[in-house]
Amino acid sequence: MRKTIYTGGCLCGAIRFEATAPAEKPHTCSCRFCQQHTGAPTAAWVEFPAERVAWTGTGGKPSTWRSSDYSSRAFCPACGSSIGAVDDDPVVALLIGGFDDPRDPALAPQYHSFEDCRPDWLSVETASGEE
């Protein structure tokens, strides 16, 4: 049986990843950390256990900045692209926009976190059809 592997990376290509399925907890988030990390009012994420994520680019692992008592935000030190978050669990949450095929149905957000921080002018619909 062949395993599904999702690939992606940063703008310059120095940081690349391969994440082995299944994709877990695909969701959108409007917390202030996500907003400031991405520069967008909402971020789209998917999680993988750390042992199912391999850093394959010439840049190795992304740089990180400790953003809370349980997580560090990951980014490319060369081009500045936001990659995701590396949690202490150990979980790697990858930003869906960084995948080579962000349209893959397995990556479709199923829920929205921190709706109270979402700007009133922004409508976010999840794959479940909920806003």
Side-chain angles (χ1 to χ4, degrees):
M1 187 169 161
R2 188 172 165 205
K3 293 182 181 179
T4 300
I5 297 181
Y6 304 99
T7 59
C10 67
L11 279 170
C12 73
I15 305 296
R16 295 283 304 159
F17 61 80
E18 291 181 353
T20 303
E24 299 178 8
K25 300 179 184 175
H27 67 285
T28 52
C29 183
S30 292
C31 78
R32 286 299 293 150
F33 286 126
C34 286
Q35 289 172 345
Q36 290 179 313
H37 177 59
T38 64
T42 294
W45 298 90
V46 64
E47 298 179 6
F48 296 89
E51 70 270 7
R52 290 198 277 119
V53 176
W55 302 105
T56 60
T58 59
K61 291 182 178 182
S63 292
T64 58
W65 178 79
R66 191 76 175 170
S67 58
S68 70
D69 60 354
Y70 64 90
S71 185
S72 297
R73 299 300 166 138
F75 60 94
C76 174
C79 68
S81 295
S82 296
I83 303 294
V86 179
D87 295 344
D88 294 345
D89 285 342
V91 168
V92 176
L94 297 167
L95 288 161
I96 294 172
F99 283 81
D100 292 335
D101 185 6
R103 298 170 298 158
D104 188 308
L107 305 178
Q110 300 297 313
Y111 62 95
H112 187 81
S113 297
F114 291 91
E115 291 182 33
D116 58 326
C117 298
R118 183 181 72 205
D120 292 338
W121 49 261
L122 179 67
S123 175
V124 177
E125 187 175 317
T126 62
S128 65
E130 296 178 12
E131 184 176 328

